[in-house]
Amino acid sequence: MKKHFSKISNSNSKAHGYRFTVGRFLEVAVALVFLVFIGRFLYIGISKTINGQNLTAKTEQLYMRNQVLKANRGTIYDRNGLAVAQDSHLYTIYAILDKSSINYKNQPEYVVNKTKTANKLAQVLPLKTSEILKYLNPARPVFQVQFGTAGSNLSKKQKDKIEKMNLPGIKFFETQSRLYPNGNFASHIIGMASPVYDKKTKQQNLEGTMGLEAWYDDVLTGKNGYQVSAVDASNFQTPNSTHTYKAPVDGNNIYLTIDSQLQEYLESRLSYVQNAYNPVSMTAVVEDIKTGKVLAASQRPTFNPQTKKGLKNSYRDILVQDTYEPGSVFKVLTLSSSVNSGNYHPNQYYNSGSVSVNGSVIHDWQPHGWGSIPFSQAFPRSSNTGFVHIEQQMGAKTWKKYLKKFHIGEKTGVTLPGEQPGTIAFNSPIDQAVTSFGQGVDVNVMQMMQAFSSLANDGQMVKPQFVEKITDANNHTITGYQIKNVGQPVYTKKTAATVLENMRRVLNKRIGTGAAYQMKGQSIAVKTGTAQIANLKGGGYLKGNNNYIFSVVGVTPAKHPRYCIYITVKQPRKMSKPAEVILSSIFKPMMNRVILMSKNGLSSSTLVKTPNLKGLNYKEAKKVAQRVGLRLAKIGTGDKITAQSYSAGQKQQSGKLMLVRTSGSIKCPDMKGWSIDELHQFADLTGVKLRIKGTGIVFKQGLATGEPVKSGTKIKIQLKE
């Protein structure tokens, strides 16, 4: 028994010793681990590095927010203060679908309830719930999705509305963009600014790529600011922390000489001719040639800077980047040179029809001519042979001296990129002869406008200009408009009077080529042109009735010109009517509009301030609107006005349609013929969501006139030029 007990005791003693040894070992191990951690923390505290990285820097990086404060690009206004190019804050919506996206508060940063999310988003986006669900349920797993074009270019108002819904996983990123509210509107002059990625700052910035946007890029571009602040885990600024701030400086603003009302009318006339006769190209300029201020200018082909439609086929600015042989409008320069140099003999006679120069025969546009006629008829009849004789009487040396005075073959320096100076072929007698009627000499449109300005300034040319003034972000003028004379006067006041008298005779039905441009009761003077087009492949000139550049230049008033219109139409492919009919369909309406506006000072009458119409009944409101020059249309079946599309005091063009919201229910109006601006007015007032396709004006709507509508109603709109 004792022996047995002794064995058990010995066994317990050994087990106890084993447990003691293991326990001591564990105590030592724990102590060593503790010492290692203490040592590690001491090491980190002293060295502040781990794995080769500075922890202090990493902590600062984590809790210091360095924010770039974007400067706004300057706005481009027309002469009356209407914005034609401005910054636009647009947003693109996207949805995070990856379920591993959890924030530091352990809350989901992904779309949790797809059906609820789709239902909510359908209230703002022009998409059905089912369409949104398709985006939220892609065929294969992805981290995030966007919603196509319907989820792009959202306004801040739309973004704010969605953010108030507090939908997990729905995020936005801002897209830098430029708003061109008028669409096809002096597009090659105003130009375009596009987002460009800056590798140095790793930021996207708007940069001018065409037109005045490019020429004045440094003027329009602001300077970004920055803000550096300490934030906590919730991204809020911590109290008593260091804070560095530098305010952004917005870019300067540019006011153009262009008048929006004239410009829009010009665009409409050019579009009419483009659709009816399909020319290869067209240009048109309306200028106050007394001062050099360009009031309207455009070209075809053109593009819409907002949608980029047409850009691929019309990247060149024809006004300055293309040169051409001007044809008979150039005779304005030849005649003034001949008169001023004392070599014009109006009562002498010459044989019209044809003339031989060094073995080459030059014909009149009417091959058999008009027999023996006085030189006084050479200009109104646009006789090439007459002007060959006039050039020969001047002599090549004198004629070349005047071409130099007119700065032909030199850039005007107008503020548009890529201007081409043109060329003059002047080596042989035949070269010299054909320049007298505008062949063998290449010019650009603005060179011709500069030359025509001499008619209004007693022979002194003035430089065409597009910019009225430059102001800073606070609208203080930095640079104001100044007339820029070009060289010395080319000719005298007496010479100008003679040339203008000849231009008036062009309208004479018996001997003039410009009878189609007569305007009853209006004081105008014109010169027509028909220039052959060089055959670049086979040499010589192209053949065919439409292979010409047809042109007309006209000034008003006839004796003391102030305004000038110059139009060119190249190769109409549907030449169903004579050239003068095609050109006059632009020239006469534009000249009428210029004369009418000039009687009112050409500026103040085109701009009005929007009155406050809220609370008035519709009949009263309509009278108030008419008094200031606005047209009114109501949305709603009631009578009392509850909202208006333009806020009180806002500047708008005279004659513009303004929508007002009245009490009562809303029915879908007949929107046919509405502009994009009128559609936006309607959407803003009603909350209706429009899915717009195409450019131009409304020609088809997806909801019938008279159908009831409410906020959130979706309507498809088709536009057409």
Side-chain angles (χ1 to χ4, degrees):
M1 214 41 201
K2 271 186 181 180
K3 211 177 239 187
H4 178 66
F5 179 78
S6 178
K7 284 180 180 178
I8 292 173
S9 295
N10 287 339
S11 177
N12 287 338
S13 178
K14 285 179 181 179
H16 175 72
Y18 176 75
R19 285 195 298 271
F20 177 78
T21 303
V22 171
R24 294 291 292 171
F25 177 78
L26 287 172
E27 287 175 6
V28 171
V30 170
L32 286 171
V33 171
F34 181 73
L35 288 171
V36 168
F37 273 107
I38 292 296
R40 185 66 168 160
F41 283 125
L42 286 170
Y43 171 76
I44 291 169
I46 295 168
S47 69
K48 297 183 181 179
T49 61
I50 184 169
N51 295 332
Q53 293 187 344
N54 187 302
L55 292 186
T56 303
K58 291 294 286 183
T59 303
E60 288 178 354
Q61 184 181 4
L62 184 62
Y63 293 109
M64 293 298 290
R65 180 174 61 189
N66 189 344
Q67 183 181 6
V68 175
L69 304 176
K70 283 281 188 181
N72 289 318
R73 186 175 177 85
T75 299
I76 301 178
Y77 298 96
D78 86 331
R79 64 186 287 128
N80 297 315
L82 292 172
V84 295
Q86 61 190 123
D87 272 9
S88 175
H89 298 284
L90 300 176
Y91 302 88
T92 297
I93 187 173
Y94 65 96
I96 297 174
L97 302 180
D98 192 326
K99 292 185 178 180
S100 65
S101 300
I102 305 291
N103 65 21
Y104 74 97
K105 291 182 179 179
N106 205 33
Q107 293 176 333
E109 288 290 329
Y110 61 89
V111 176
V112 177
N113 188 327
K114 293 181 179 179
T115 302
K116 177 186 174 183
T117 300
N119 283 328
K120 289 282 189 180
L121 292 180
Q123 296 174 20
V124 180
L125 301 181
L127 291 171
K128 297 176 182 177
T129 300
S130 58
E131 292 173 319
I132 296 172
L133 280 171
K134 284 182 182 179
Y135 283 109
L136 296 177
N137 292 287
R140 53 185 179 183
V142 294
F143 182 79
Q144 67 187 49
V145 294
Q146 293 182 26
F147 298 92
T149 55
S152 302
N153 298 327
L154 302 183
S155 66
K156 192 172 186 304
K157 186 178 179 181
Q158 289 173 303
K159 173 180 174 281
D160 291 344
K161 194 170 183 179
I162 293 172
E163 283 184 331
K164 286 178 182 178
M165 297 174 178
N166 294 317
L167 300 171
I170 297 301
K171 308 288 182 183
F172 300 86
F173 62 82
E174 186 174 351
T175 307
Q176 269 210 309
S177 62
R178 194 78 163 152
L179 177 64
Y180 299 95
N182 298 318
N184 294 343
F185 180 94
S187 301
H188 289 83
I189 294 162
I190 295 167
M192 195 167 62
S194 306
V196 176
Y197 184 73
D198 189 329
K199 291 181 180 179
K200 289 183 180 179
T201 62
K202 297 183 179 179
Q203 296 284 329
Q204 267 200 345
N205 298 306
L206 285 171
E207 185 176 298
T209 54
M210 291 177 68
L212 296 171
E213 289 270 30
W215 187 275
Y216 288 100
D217 190 54
D218 290 343
V219 172
L220 291 163
T221 300
K223 293 181 180 178
N224 291 337
Y226 58 83
Q227 178 174 283
V228 181
S229 55
V231 296
D232 59 19
S234 298
N235 211 31
F236 292 113
Q237 188 175 333
T238 56
N240 303 319
S241 62
T242 56
H243 178 76
T244 307
Y245 173 82
K246 184 178 180 181
V249 179
D250 290 342
N252 296 323
N253 304 314
I254 293 176
Y255 285 78
L256 304 181
T257 58
I258 286 175
D259 182 280
S260 286
Q261 189 175 353
L262 270 180
Q263 184 67 42
E264 286 185 352
Y265 195 49
L266 177 61
E267 298 289 356
S268 70
R269 298 316 302 161
L270 289 176
S271 291
Y272 164 76
V273 170
Q274 184 70 38
N275 293 331
Y277 306 106
N278 193 24
V280 170
S281 64
M282 283 188 291
T283 66
V285 181
V286 182
E287 183 181 325
D288 176 349
I289 51 174
K290 194 77 177 171
T291 62
K293 294 180 181 182
V294 177
L295 304 173
S298 194
Q299 68 175 63
R300 293 294 183 273
T302 188
F303 69 99
N304 184 328
Q306 190 63 36
T307 63
K308 310 297 187 292
K309 183 179 179 181
L311 180 59
K312 186 178 179 181
N313 297 319
S314 61
Y315 204 83
R316 292 182 65 78
D317 184 346
I318 302 174
L319 296 175
V320 292
Q321 293 178 346
D322 283 8
T323 58
Y324 61 98
E325 295 180 66
S328 291
V329 290
F330 204 72
K331 290 171 182 171
V332 171
L333 283 65
T334 316
L335 180 62
S336 60
S337 302
S338 173
V339 172
N340 205 66
S341 63
N343 293 291
Y344 178 58
H345 309 291
N347 298 320
Q348 285 185 6
Y349 279 69
Y350 72 97
N351 291 318
S352 64
S354 64
V355 61
S356 179
V357 180
N358 273 25
S360 297
V361 178
I362 295 171
H363 293 277
D364 279 320
W365 63 269
Q366 186 166 295
H368 300 295
W370 306 271
S372 179
I373 58 174
F375 278 107
S376 62
Q377 292 186 18
F379 189 89
R381 290 189 187 275
S382 203
S383 168
N384 291 343
T385 60
F387 272 80
V388 169
H389 290 302
I390 287 172
E391 184 273 329
Q392 289 173 339
Q393 289 169 357
M394 262 196 297
K397 188 176 179 181
T398 299
W399 176 220
K400 189 171 185 180
K401 181 181 75 172
Y402 275 93
L403 288 172
K404 190 169 181 62
K405 283 186 175 184
F406 276 114
H407 290 254
I408 300 302
E410 300 175 25
K411 294 180 182 180
T412 63
V414 70
T415 53
L416 293 172
E419 183 180 8
Q420 298 301 307
T423 58
I424 307 173
F426 211 77
N427 295 322
S428 67
I430 188 66
D431 290 339
Q432 295 151 14
V434 298
T435 57
S436 69
F437 53 87
Q439 301 283 171
V441 53
D442 287 327
V443 297
N444 70 50
V445 172
M446 301 319 294
Q447 283 176 329
M448 293 302 292
M449 293 306 299
Q450 184 168 276
F452 295 144
S453 70
S454 60
L455 294 169
N457 298 287
D458 299 335
Q460 174 65 61
M461 294 193 301
V462 297
K463 180 180 174 179
Q465 296 183 71
F466 294 99
V467 175
E468 180 75 39
K469 63 180 178 179
I470 298 172
T471 69
D472 62 19
N474 297 315
N475 218 28
H476 297 137
T477 300
I478 298 170
T479 306
Y481 190 87
Q482 289 184 330
I483 297 172
K484 296 181 180 179
N485 290 337
V486 180
Q488 298 299 314
V490 184
Y491 51 80
T492 64
K493 182 178 181 179
K494 187 177 179 181
T495 295
T498 301
V499 176
L500 288 166
E501 174 58 33
N502 273 270
M503 290 178 70
R504 287 197 295 276
R505 296 178 73 211
V506 172
L507 297 165
N508 184 291
K509 287 183 179 180
R510 188 175 63 85
I511 62 169
T513 58
Y517 302 100
Q518 282 185 348
M519 297 170 64
K520 190 175 181 180
Q522 305 295 7
S523 176
I524 65 170
V526 305
K527 180 68 190 84
T528 60
T530 305
Q532 291 179 293
I533 300 171
N535 186 345
L536 300 177
K537 292 182 179 179
Y541 290 96
L542 296 174
K543 304 294 183 183
N545 292 335
N546 69 328
N547 281 325
Y548 294 92
I549 295 176
F550 302 103
S551 60
V552 62
V553 59
V555 296
T556 189
K559 285 190 176 181
H560 304 286
R562 180 68 188 263
Y563 304 106
C564 176
I565 298 177
Y566 176 44
I567 303 166
T568 72
V569 175
K570 182 179 181 181
Q571 293 171 292
R573 285 168 287 208
K574 296 179 184 176
M575 199 165 176
S576 56
K577 292 183 179 178
E580 59 268 25
V581 174
I582 297 173
L583 285 160
S584 65
S585 67
I586 304 170
F587 179 88
K588 291 170 78 171
M590 287 305 302
M591 186 61 84
N592 257 326
R593 183 66 63 91
V594 168
I595 292 169
L596 179 64
M597 291 175 67
S598 66
K599 291 176 181 177
N600 296 314
L602 204 67
S603 58
S604 58
S605 63
T606 67
L607 205 65
V608 297
K609 282 188 177 181
T610 305
N612 184 5
L613 304 176
K614 290 180 184 178
L616 300 178
N617 64 49
Y618 182 66
K619 190 176 181 180
E620 292 172 334
K622 199 170 183 180
K623 288 180 180 178
V624 172
Q626 285 175 342
R627 279 200 294 268
V628 299
L630 292 174
R631 295 178 295 126
L632 215 60
K634 73 170 182 172
I635 304 296
T637 56
D639 191 53
K640 190 175 182 180
I641 292 174
T642 58
Q644 58 190 70
S645 57
Y646 297 131
S647 58
Q650 189 176 347
K651 290 180 179 179
Q652 291 299 332
Q653 287 180 31
S654 176
K656 198 160 192 177
L657 178 68
M658 173 177 156
L659 302 184
V660 291
R661 173 81 166 88
T662 66
S663 54
S665 59
I666 305 171
K667 292 183 179 179
C668 185
D670 181 2
M671 293 181 273
K672 192 171 183 180
W674 278 20
S675 67
I676 192 77
D677 176 69
E678 287 153 5
L679 288 172
H680 286 313
Q681 289 186 57
F682 178 64
D684 289 343
L685 283 175
T686 61
V688 164
K689 290 184 289 182
L690 303 175
R691 187 183 288 186
I692 301 170
K693 290 186 178 180
T695 58
I697 60 174
V698 177
F699 87 100
K700 191 175 181 181
Q701 61 191 73
L703 190 66
T705 302
E707 287 292 315
V709 297
K710 59 182 180 180
S711 180
T713 299
K714 300 179 178 70
I715 306 175
K716 292 181 180 179
I717 300 293
Q718 183 68 48
L719 305 181
K720 192 174 183 181
E721 295 285 359

